[in-house]
Each structure stands twice: as structure tokens, then as C-alpha cells.
Amino acid sequence: MAVRLLISVLVILLFSFTYASDPAPLQDFCVAVKDDEAKVFVNGKICKDPNMVSADDFFFPGLNMPGNTSNAQGSKVTPVNVNQLPGLNTLGISLVRIDYAPYGLNPPHTHPRATEVLVVVEGTLFVGFVTSNPADPNVKNKLFTKTLYPGDVFVFPEGLIHFQFNVGKTDAFVFAGLSSQNPGVITIANAVFGSDPPITLDVLTKAFQVDANVIKYLQAQFN
């Protein structure tokens, strides 16, 4: 009996972890109301009146069009999450298209609420992610990398820092699915050196073990 109970608990925990990112929906759909039209603030989005829902609430056009990569990083992320496609509300999923110029970079970043699975459509990408801090302070964070070609798939675990770099001489693009209606994104360099107000020099010089002028130079790149 105790063994059966233990197995049951383990199965429940397994299914709980499977749906850990977003809660399961309690109805067929819950089309999101725009934030500026909402009368209350909730964890997520409030539901549109079902009688006012239309097919357009579940539709987003244009992912066949390449994004504009004319920027310092040479990449463009086109998101399709609950903010662009309100029908995704409560469904625990979203996607992006990412375009890369030759040698373009989607810089190190993390999604605090989602695992990401990426498939290469065109181009050659060098991708990777870094593990969280090991329990042993003498062990370094481990980097996993792979060179991807069209048709290849790679997964970035939830919350871990990851990146993609176009190592080819031609444009590249991918599609990626994420396990949250609103995965969030924290671009590491922007967050550390471009926050408003800025993180103090005392903190950053000690954290990075560099001179204050180095920190000032880095902050200047993001302001």
C-alpha cells in the first residue's frame, strides 16, 4: 500500500512539473483584454466576454516576413505571445520568429517563465546555454553549445542564460516555441549595464572585479 501511495505521489508530482510554467485553463478559452482596457490587475490577463470573441482573437499574420536586422546586434525577434495574440491567454504557449544578419547575434538572455525549443529554417547558428550556479562553489557553470543547420532543433531550459549567433555569411532565421503565454526576457548586458536608475559603480566594480572606468564605458553603451 505504501509503495502504491509513493508511486501515486510521484506521478502527481511528475504531471505537476509538466505544467509548472503556466496554470491549466479552466475553460475552453480566455481571450485577453488589453491592459489599458482592464478594470482590475490580475496575474496574467482577464478574460474577454466570450460573446465578444471572434476568430481574429486567435489569429496573427505576418511571420513569413523577415524582421529588420539593421541594428547593433544584427538580429530581430518577432514575438507572438499573449500581448500580440490575445487568444493565447491561459494556454501556456507562445512563439517567436528570430532573424539574423550575417554574423548577427541574439545576445545572452534568459526567459524567466519558459523553456524554449528552437528550429532552424535557414542559415547556420552557433547556439548555447549556461547552467545555473553549481552547489559546489569550486565548480564553474557549464556551457553547452552546438552548431545548428536547417532542420536542426535545440532546446534551452527554462530560466537559463542562452544565445544564438549566426556564423554564416548569409541571413538566417528560426522559429521557436516557448512554454508560457508570456515568457518574459532579460537581456543580460542591457539589464546589468542599462537599468534605470543604473546599478551603482560600487556594486558593479566589485561584482566584475574591474576598474570603475570600465563600468562607466559599458554603461555608456546602453544609454
Side-chain angles (χ1 to χ4, degrees):
M1 186 69 177
V3 173
R4 288 182 180 178
L5 179 60
L6 177 59
I7 292 173
S8 298
V9 170
L10 290 174
V11 169
I12 292 170
L13 287 173
L14 176 62
F15 278 99
S16 297
F17 292 147
T18 303
Y19 296 98
S21 292
D22 286 351
L26 301 178
Q27 59 279 317
D28 286 347
F29 53 80
C30 172
V31 172
V33 172
K34 293 180 180 178
D35 289 340
D36 57 1
E37 296 176 3
K39 305 300 182 184
V40 296
F41 293 96
V42 297
N43 182 24
K45 306 279 188 179
I46 64 173
C47 300
K48 188 176 184 179
D49 182 343
N51 294 321
M52 302 298 292
V53 170
S54 72
D56 284 342
D57 291 313
F58 303 94
F59 173 74
F60 180 91
L63 281 190
N64 60 314
M65 301 298 293
N68 183 1
T69 58
S70 298
N71 54 63
Q73 300 293 349
S75 67
K76 172 63 176 178
V77 178
T78 303
V80 185
N81 57 47
V82 70
N83 296 305
Q84 292 80 34
L85 183 56
L88 288 174
N89 196 36
T90 75
L91 299 185
I93 193 169
S94 60
L95 74 156
V96 296
R97 170 179 173 144
I98 312 174
D99 290 273
Y100 314 82
Y103 308 109
L105 172 71
N106 189 15
H109 63 282
T110 177
H111 302 292
R113 295 180 290 276
T115 291
E116 175 180 353
V117 59
L118 174 151
V119 58
V120 178
V121 181
E122 291 183 5
T124 304
L125 296 180
F126 178 71
V127 307
F129 68 86
V130 182
T131 60
S132 57
N133 295 356
D136 183 349
N138 296 313
V139 176
K140 293 184 178 181
N141 304 68
K142 187 170 183 179
L143 171 66
F144 293 89
T145 63
K146 192 77 174 174
T147 299
L148 305 182
Y149 303 93
D152 288 347
V153 175
F154 198 82
V155 64
F156 305 104
E158 180 174 338
L160 298 187
I161 296 172
H162 59 283
F163 61 86
Q164 304 105 32
F165 180 55
N166 181 6
V167 293
K169 297 180 181 180
T170 60
D171 292 342
F173 81 93
V174 306
F175 290 112
L178 297 112
S179 61
S180 172
Q181 68 178 38
N182 186 24
V185 60
I186 303 169
T187 305
I188 306 305
N190 299 58
V192 173
F193 298 112
S195 65
D196 183 18
I199 301 173
T200 64
L201 288 176
D202 288 341
V203 171
L204 294 181
T205 53
K206 194 170 185 67
F208 288 94
Q209 296 293 291
V210 295
D211 185 82
N213 288 327
V214 175
I215 299 298
K216 290 178 182 178
Y217 172 80
L218 291 170
Q219 289 178 325
Q221 310 311 303
F222 297 93
N223 291 296

